[in-house]
Amino acid sequence: MLYKDEIRKRRTFAIISHPDAGKTTLTEKLLLFGGAIHVAGAVKSHKIRKTATSDWMEIEKQRGISVATSVMAFDYNDRKINILDTPGHQDFAEDTYRTLTAVDSVIIVIDAAKGVEAQTRKLMEVCRMRQTPVIVFINKMDRDGKDPFDLLDEVEVELRIKVRPLSWPIEMGPRFKGVYNLFENKLDLYTPSKQYVTESIEIKDINSDELDERITPELAEKLRADLELIEGVYPPLDLTSYRAGAVAPVFFGSALNNFGVKELLECFLEIAPSPQPVQALERVVDPEEDSFSGFVFKIHANMDPNHRSCIAFVKVCSGRFERNAAYKHVRHGKQMRFASPTAFMAQRKETVDEAFAGDIVGLPDTGNFKIGDTLTEGEELHFRGLPSFSPEMFKYIENNDPMKAKQLGKGIEQLMDEGVAQLFTNRFNGRKIIGAVGQLQFEVIQYRLLHEYGAQCKWEPIHLYKACWIESTNAAMLANFMKRKAQYMAYDKEGRDVYLADSAYVLTMAQEDFPDIRFHFISEF
Ligand code: G4P
C-alpha cells in the first residue's frame, strides 16, 4: 500500500456521445475549468470533421494531432483527472470500445433535441458489459429540445439504466432560465455567455419567496411541481448503485455556454470512483497493490512514414510504473525497459519518471505490443480485454503487387494486432476477409499498408451479413454444420471458428436447423 494516496487522487474517465452531441465542447470546458488550457477552441483542432469523411489524408493529419490529446490529464481540487479521448468519427468506434476498457467511469453527453442516438446506445452496451459507472449530461438546453421528463424516460428505456436527476431545467431554448441543482440545493441562473461561469444562488428551501423573485412565480410553481414529481418517482442517488453501473445521475446544461459544466465536474469529483480493481484471468488485481501491472488498450500508429513506430497506450492497473525499470512482457515472456515513457498533459506530451494506478503511459513501440498485452513485475497475469464485435462491413483483401506478398502479410498481421479491423480467413479457399465497422477503416488499411509496409492491396466485394463465433457441446452437430457450410466457415486471428452468414434469413435458418449450436455476435462468451 505504498502509493495509496496517489492512487486515490486519480479519476480516470471518458466522455462519450453520438457525434455532434457536444463531447468535444464539454471536454474543452472541463479543461478550461481545470486550468489545463486557457483559450476556447484549443481542443477543437483535433476533431475529425464531418466534411472530411472521404478525405483520408485530412483525417490522418488530424489523427496525428490527436496523439497528444489522446489522454488529457490535469489537476483540479487536489484530484488528478485523466480524460481519455475517444475518436469523434463513427468508423473508429472500435477504438472507443477499447478505450472504455481503461476507464473507471464515463460521462455520456446527449443532445436534448435528439435524445438517445445510435452510437450512444452501442457505447452504453459496452459500459453495461463492464458495469462502468455512468453520469449523463443532457446538453444544448439553450436550444428547444425534448421534454426533460421524456428524456429521462428515453434514457431509462433506450440505455437500459435507472436514472436520478441531480439538476433540473427551468424552461429551455430561448426561454431557458437555468437549472435547479439538486445536488447542492442551488439555483443556477443562465446567462448566455460563452466564457463565464453563471450566477448561482443557494436556495435550500424551494418554497422560499426568493425562488419566485428570481424566476417569476409561475416558473417557480412549475419547478416546485416538477421537483415534487422527481422526488416521488426517482429515489435519492445511491452511491453504491451508481458505482455498480445500475443508476445514472443526470445533469442538464449547455456545454457551449459553459452552463452546468462546473457543477457536473464538481459532482463528478465527489462521486466518481478512484481506480477500481481489475479482473485478470488469474485473479482480481487491486490498484493499491505494491507491484506494478498494466495492459495495452490502444496502439496509435506514428503518422510519420519514416518512422514505423507506434505508441502503445498502457493503463496502469496497480502500483507504480517507473521509467527504466525492467518489466515482464507476459505474452513474450521477456523483460523490457522503457527509457522514454510519455504522459499526456492536456495539450502536451512529456517524458515521465513514474505513473500510478489509474494513469495512462504511452510507450514508444516498434511492433512488440498488441492490444491486450500485459506488463508486470514478473507475475503471469492476463488482463481481460474487450471482446470483438461482429463487424458490419466485409471485403476480401488481395495482393496487388506479387513482389510484396511478404510485406502485405506482415502489414496485415500488425495492423490487426493494433486493432485497426478484424481478419477472418476462409477455411474453404484460404482467402482473407477484413471485417470493419466503417468504410474509413478500409481506406486506413490500404493507405497504411502502402506507406508503412510498401505493400499494395486491393479490395474485392463479398456479400456478407454477419460473422458469428460458433460453439457447441454437440460435436456431431458442429461437425455436420461445418461440413454443410464449408464455404462459409472461417477462423479469426486467434483461430476460433467463425461462421460467415450471407443474410439474416440464412442465419435464422441455421439457428433453427442446428439448435445445439450457439451463434455469438461477440468474440468472448
Ligand atoms: P462532438 O464532439 O460530440 O461531435 O460535438 P461538438 O462538441 O463538436 O459539438 C457539435 C456542435 O454542437 C458544435 O457546433 C458545437 O458548437 C455545438 N454545441 C455544443 N454544445 C452546445 C450547446 O450547449 N448548445 C448549442 N446550441 N450548441 C452546442 P458546430 O456548428 O458543428 O461546430 P462549431 O462550428 O461551433 O465548431
Side-chain angles (χ1 to χ4, degrees), residues 17 20 22-25 44 47 139-140 142-143 254-255:
S17 73
D20 269 348
K23 177 176 75 74
T24 314
T25 313
K44 273 276 172 219
K47 191 179 165 194
N139 190 28
K140 307 197 186 179
D142 59 315
R143 286 203 191 150
S254 166

Side-chain angles (χ1 to χ4, degrees), residues 11-13 15 23-24 27-28 31 36-37 42-43 46 66-75 80-86 313 343-348 360:
R11 299 288 180 276
T12 303
F13 73 106
I15 303 177
K23 177 176 75 74
T24 314
T27 308
E28 180 172 285
L31 293 178
I37 55 169
V43 180
H46 80 267
S66 81
V67 180
T69 51
S70 288
V71 183
M72 290 159 280
F74 61 95
D75 295 307
K80 172 142 187 245
I81 300 176
N82 293 314
I83 306 182
L84 273 56
D85 191 27
T86 54
F313 287 78
F344 306 85
M345 297 300 294
Q347 300 274 286
R348 288 172 292 125
I360 311 298

Side-chain angles (χ1 to χ4, degrees), residues 428 477-489:
F428 190 70
M477 186 181 280
L478 191 61
N480 184 23
F481 177 81
M482 287 173 70
K483 199 167 133 210
R484 289 255 303 270
K485 300 282 181 188
Q487 290 184 28
Y488 297 96
M489 288 310 303

Side-chain angles (χ1 to χ4, degrees), residues 5 54 56 71-72 75 99 152 182 185 194 202 261 283 287 291 294 299 302 393 413 415 420 435 440:
D5 291 342
S54 57
W56 160 235
V71 183
M72 290 159 280
D75 295 307
T99 298
L152 293 183
L182 289 143
N185 295 320
K194 295 184 184 175
E202 196 169 295
V261 177
R283 64 182 182 89
S291 299
I299 293 177
N302 187 336
M393 300 171 89
E413 193 187 316
L415 293 183
V420 176
L440 261 180

Side-chain angles (χ1 to χ4, degrees), residues 16-27 44 47-50 88 109 111 137 139-143 190 253-259:
I16 55 178
S17 73
H18 190 87
D20 269 348
K23 177 176 75 74
T24 314
T25 313
L26 180 64
T27 308
K44 273 276 172 219
K47 191 179 165 194
I48 294 168
R49 292 264 126 219
K50 286 183 292 275
V109 185
D111 182 327
F137 182 74
N139 190 28
K140 307 197 186 179
M141 292 307 293
D142 59 315
R143 286 203 191 150
Y190 173 65
S254 166
L256 187 64
N257 295 294
N258 239 340
F259 189 80

